[in-house]
């Protein structure tokens, strides 16, 4: 815990819990899909945390955070409380690490929280095939425009179809998280 030792117990708790809490918060903002969606998103979140705990990162700090997040599975239920505070907790976390860590570590922490949250949002296809024709048309136009933008940027890493797995509420939540992680 070399990096985490420089933080108070309260700060450490916030930093370690935030990757899990952010993913859980994104999952909780949308009740489309019912229990099946909740189960798939929670399963995805748990898988991501476990996978990331043993993965390699550009930042040793993020690796340490994820290893602790995974190790503390007994606390996950407690961390599921008060999820409405997650956007504000993101701001607090960035403020806490900003004075103590290198910019690459801060950027890696932001990217990690967003990556986990995005993966959770993509875990269950929430687009309603029974949606009205205007909603379907708008979605198809949005998919087409995103595909064109990715093509122009030569970005092949993005799957336009995955947009259908992210509900409007989850998209708003992801935007809020991104803003909170960058508004310091």
């Amino acid at each position: 815990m070399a990096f985490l030792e420089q933080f108070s117990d309260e700060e450490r708790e916030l930093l370690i819990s935030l990757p899990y809490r952010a993913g859980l918060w994104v999952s909780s903002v949308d009740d489309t899909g019912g229990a099946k969606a909740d189960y798939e998103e929670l399963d995805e979140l748990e898988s991501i945390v476990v996978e990331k705990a043993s993965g390699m990162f550009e930042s040793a700090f993020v690796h340490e955070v994820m290893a602790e997040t995974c190790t503390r599975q007994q606390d996950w239920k407690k961390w599921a409380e008060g999820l409405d505070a997650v956007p504000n907790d993101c701001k607090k976390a960035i403020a806490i690490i900003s004075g103590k860590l290198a910019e690459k570590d801060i950027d890696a922490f932001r990217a990690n929280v967003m990556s986990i949250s995005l993966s959770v949002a993509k875990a269950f296809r929430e687009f309603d095939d029974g949606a009205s024709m205007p909603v379907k048309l708008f979605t198809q136009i949005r998919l087409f425009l995103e595909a064109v933008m990715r093509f122009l940027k030569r970005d092949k890493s993005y799957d336009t179809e995955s947009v259908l797995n992210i509900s409007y509420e989850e998209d708003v939540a992801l935007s809020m998280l991104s803003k909170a992680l960058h508004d310091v």
Side-chain angles (χ1 to χ4, degrees):
M1 271 194 350
F3 283 100
L4 290 171
E5 287 175 356
Q6 63 186 306
F7 301 102
S8 70
D9 290 345
E10 184 180 317
E11 292 170 337
R12 199 173 314 134
E13 183 76 9
L14 175 67
L15 297 171
I16 292 168
S17 67
L18 192 58
Y20 181 82
R21 288 172 45 78
L24 200 57
W25 178 70
V26 168
S27 176
S28 73
V29 299
D30 179 14
D31 57 6
T32 306
K36 182 177 182 191
D38 292 343
Y39 173 78
E40 287 185 26
E41 290 172 344
L42 186 59
D43 189 49
E44 179 69 11
L45 176 58
E46 291 175 4
S47 296
I48 292 166
V49 170
V50 170
E51 179 184 322
K52 284 185 172 276
S54 62
M56 297 300 293
F57 294 91
E58 291 181 26
S59 166
F61 167 70
V62 173
H63 177 74
E64 193 174 314
V65 166
M66 291 311 301
E68 282 294 309
T69 303
C70 185
T71 301
R72 304 251 321 261
Q73 283 185 349
Q74 74 278 5
D75 294 326
W76 290 2
K77 188 173 183 174
K78 176 179 75 171
W79 292 348
E81 298 170 7
L83 292 177
D84 290 342
V86 166
N88 195 44
D89 287 347
C90 287
K91 290 178 185 180
K92 286 181 189 175
I94 298 302
I96 288 167
I97 63 178
S98 287
K100 297 181 180 178
L101 299 175
E103 195 62 37
K104 76 174 185 82
D105 293 314
I106 298 166
D107 289 342
F109 184 80
R110 286 178 177 127
N112 184 55
V113 170
M114 287 305 299
S115 171
I116 291 169
S117 301
L118 181 60
S119 293
V120 169
K122 288 180 180 179
F124 183 79
R125 187 175 194 112
E126 284 152 313
F127 181 74
D128 181 9
D129 288 327
S132 68
M133 187 55 79
V135 170
K136 286 182 179 179
L137 181 61
F138 174 75
T139 301
Q140 291 301 321
I141 291 169
R142 189 175 76 172
L143 289 173
F144 175 75
L145 291 175
E146 287 185 24
V148 168
M149 292 304 295
R150 296 294 177 190
F151 176 76
L152 293 174
K153 291 180 180 178
R154 301 193 189 321
D155 182 359
K156 294 179 175 63
S157 66
Y158 183 77
D159 174 19
T160 310
E161 281 294 309
S162 68
V163 171
L164 296 176
N165 286 25
I166 301 173
S167 70
Y168 173 78
E169 292 83 3
E170 289 169 334
D171 192 36
V172 169
L174 290 167
S175 294
M176 287 176 66
L177 272 183
S178 180
K179 184 171 174 24
L181 288 165
H182 291 88
D183 274 358
V184 178

